[in-house]
């Protein structure tokens, strides 16, 4: 049976990297039925249309799984991020960002293999803000709940247990934010007791950042609150080549959305030079979620081989290939590996 998946190409370079990713998925031989919906962020608002049409979350509720390209979000004004809206409306409380080195890239470190688990629905991103126009004072409330803390930390431990990971580090600021970060740390310690076979420790967030820059190989799974997790995941992406090569996914109890974590890059949209690696790696995560493990492993192996050879990469990682030239080259490698495995 075909997998029915909601497809959200996004805007900017989104349609280009999405088309490239679909070509690679086609090469796996796995059948997909794509329920395609358009989300075009700022352009939609300019045309007096909702930035997140109701049919999008309805489709994800029906199919349970979505593949999503980048979407433009206004800075400092305008509508709430479509990404944030989707996470809150579908209760996608776990943002998972593997940061894994690719061969052949000129990066500060080699053999990085860590995962950031970010609470996705509360904290400072809950959007609880007030503004006193008379005094020109803005307040934001970081809402931390026991339920929200427990389910993201437990999700991290369950993922570690299922995937043979050895250690979980909880990042916090409980030395200063004694109530909010303090609650997150307290709950984290309680959850850790349920998983005695997985090592647990905690780090203050500023020290955590320093540790990742100095000793990233010493870390495995890192879990944190929304804002801290957002910062850490971009920092960790920088260790392995940047957002253009880093996968991302959002999980709830019922739904999963796999997405490129980089921006929509409207300045290069339509030029055919965008790197689709981030969305392709996110699609690998989707394949594993759908229990298509052989296909996931094959695409991952093909991607590593293509990067190691370096002959068909996009310009941002030192090559000269277009978006689709890279995708076609990768798809051919996937097909070759699959043919060899069945010979």
């Amino acid at each position: 049976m075909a997998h029915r998946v909601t497809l959200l190409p996004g805007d900017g370079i989104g349609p280009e990297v999405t088309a490239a990713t679909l070509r690679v998925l086609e090469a796996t031989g796995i059948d997909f039925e794509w329920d395609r919906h358009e989300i075009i962020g700022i352009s939609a608002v300019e045309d007096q249309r909702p930035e997140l049409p109701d049919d999008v979350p309805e489709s994800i509720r029906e199919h349970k799984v979505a593949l999503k390209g980048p979407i433009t979000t206004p800075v400092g004004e305008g509508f709430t991020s479509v990404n944030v809206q989707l996470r809150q409306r579908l209760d996608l409380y776990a943002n998972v960002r593997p940061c894994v080195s690719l061969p052949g890239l000129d990066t500060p470190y080699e053999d990085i293999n860590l995962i950031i688990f970010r609470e996705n629905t509360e904290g400072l991103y809950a959007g609880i803000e007030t503004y006193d126009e008379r005094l020109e004072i803005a307040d934001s409330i970081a809402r931390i709940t026991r339920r929200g803390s427990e389910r993201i930390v437990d999700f991290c431990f369950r993922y570690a247990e299922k995937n043979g990971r050895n250690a979980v580090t909880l990042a916090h600021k409980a030395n200063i934010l004694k109530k909010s970060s303090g609650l997150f740390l307290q709950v984290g310690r309680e959850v850790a007791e349920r998983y005695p076979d997985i090592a647990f420790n905690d780090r203050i967030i500023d020290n955590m950042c320093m540790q990742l820059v100095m000793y990233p190989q010493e870390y495995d799974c890192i879990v944190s609150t929304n804002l801290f997790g957002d910062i850490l995941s971009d920092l960790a992406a920088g260790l392995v080549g940047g957002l253009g090569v880093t996968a991302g996914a959002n999980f709830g109890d019922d739904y999963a959305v796999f997405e490129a974590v980089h921006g929509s890059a409207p300045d290069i949209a339509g030029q055919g030079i965008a790197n689709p690696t981030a969305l392709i790696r996110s699609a690998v995560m989707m394949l594993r979620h759908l229990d298509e493990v052989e296909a996931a492993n094959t695409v991952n192996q093909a991607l590593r081989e293509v990067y190691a050879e370096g002959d068909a990469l996009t310009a941002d990682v030192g090559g000269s290939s277009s978006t689709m030239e890279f995708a076609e080259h990768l798809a051919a490698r996937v097909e070759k590996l699959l043919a060899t495995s069945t010979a």
Side-chain angles (χ1 to χ4, degrees):
M1 292 180 60
H3 296 288
R4 301 188 67 198
V5 177
T6 301
L7 182 66
L8 309 171
D11 57 15
I13 61 172
E16 298 165 66
V17 297
T18 299
T21 300
L22 295 186
R23 174 65 187 96
V24 175
L25 287 174
E26 178 186 22
T28 67
I30 305 297
D31 289 331
F32 289 93
E33 291 183 8
W34 302 105
D35 185 15
R36 184 182 182 114
H37 294 260
E38 301 299 329
I39 305 179
I40 51 176
I42 290 176
S43 298
V45 175
E46 290 172 349
D47 295 338
Q48 296 185 332
R49 289 179 288 159
E51 68 275 7
L52 179 58
D54 289 338
D55 62 328
V56 171
E58 289 173 2
S59 174
I60 298 173
R61 289 188 182 100
E62 178 182 355
H63 304 309
K64 311 296 185 184
V65 178
L67 182 66
K68 184 178 79 61
I71 299 168
T72 305
T73 300
V75 177
E77 59 183 7
F79 59 86
T80 301
S81 162
V82 170
N83 298 326
V84 172
Q85 290 187 57
L86 266 178
R87 293 164 190 166
Q88 292 179 343
R89 289 177 66 172
L90 298 172
D91 201 23
L92 302 171
Y93 61 85
N95 181 268
V96 181
R97 297 269 292 271
C99 296
V100 182
S101 298
L102 280 169
L105 286 187
D106 183 15
T107 58
Y109 304 94
E110 297 179 356
D111 300 323
I112 302 299
N113 184 1
L114 59 87
I115 310 176
I116 308 296
F117 294 81
R118 164 190 168 193
E119 199 293 317
N120 224 8
T121 60
E122 50 183 45
L124 275 171
Y125 288 14
I128 307 172
E129 294 189 308
T130 61
Y131 181 66
D132 186 322
E133 295 186 3
R134 184 177 66 87
L135 298 176
E136 295 187 302
I137 297 174
D139 291 301
S140 295
I141 296 175
R143 172 159 290 172
I144 304 295
T145 68
R146 169 169 285 277
R147 175 176 178 269
S149 301
E150 182 173 18
R151 65 182 185 173
I152 183 59
V153 177
D154 189 68
F155 184 98
C156 176
F157 272 99
R158 283 188 284 114
Y159 186 99
E161 187 175 59
K162 180 180 179 180
N163 292 278
R165 314 291 294 205
N166 298 316
V168 169
T169 301
L170 185 146
H172 62 89
K173 193 64 178 174
N175 58 325
I176 303 298
L177 304 173
K178 298 182 186 296
K179 298 298 184 183
S180 54
S181 262
L183 175 61
F184 189 73
L185 176 58
Q186 175 187 336
V187 172
R189 288 170 173 166
E190 293 170 2
V191 172
E193 293 179 358
R194 306 174 195 164
Y195 300 90
D197 295 332
I198 298 175
F200 174 74
N201 56 69
D202 68 272
R203 295 284 184 272
I204 295 173
I205 183 62
D206 36 339
N207 180 50
M208 183 79 258
C209 291
M210 182 185 73
Q211 293 285 327
L212 282 177
V213 171
M214 297 181 68
Y215 317 111
Q217 296 93 340
E218 295 184 7
Y219 291 90
D220 192 346
C221 297
I222 302 171
V223 62
S224 195
T225 50
N226 209 333
L227 176 61
F228 294 160
D230 191 7
I231 295 168
L232 287 176
S233 57
D234 278 23
L235 188 158
L239 303 175
V240 299
L243 296 178
V245 298
T246 308
N250 302 285
F251 295 94
D253 291 333
D254 301 309
Y255 316 112
V257 176
F258 300 86
E259 64 181 356
V261 297
H262 55 69
S264 59
D267 55 322
I268 63 168
Q271 298 180 36
I273 60 174
N275 188 347
T277 299
L279 192 59
I280 290 170
R281 292 184 105 176
S282 301
V284 170
M285 295 180 72
M286 182 184 73
L287 287 170
R288 295 193 193 284
H289 179 73
L290 296 171
D291 292 326
E292 299 289 358
V293 177
E294 181 183 2
N297 290 341
T298 302
V299 174
N300 186 58
Q301 180 183 344
L303 189 67
R304 296 185 67 82
E305 290 180 3
V306 168
Y307 264 83
E309 293 164 0
D311 298 330
L313 304 181
T314 50
D316 61 306
V317 287
S320 59
S321 295
S322 70
T323 306
M324 285 307 299
E325 285 172 345
F326 170 78
E328 291 290 351
H329 189 85
L330 179 57
R333 181 60 56 89
V334 169
E335 291 166 349
K336 179 180 179 181
L337 288 172
L338 288 172
T340 300
S341 67
T342 57

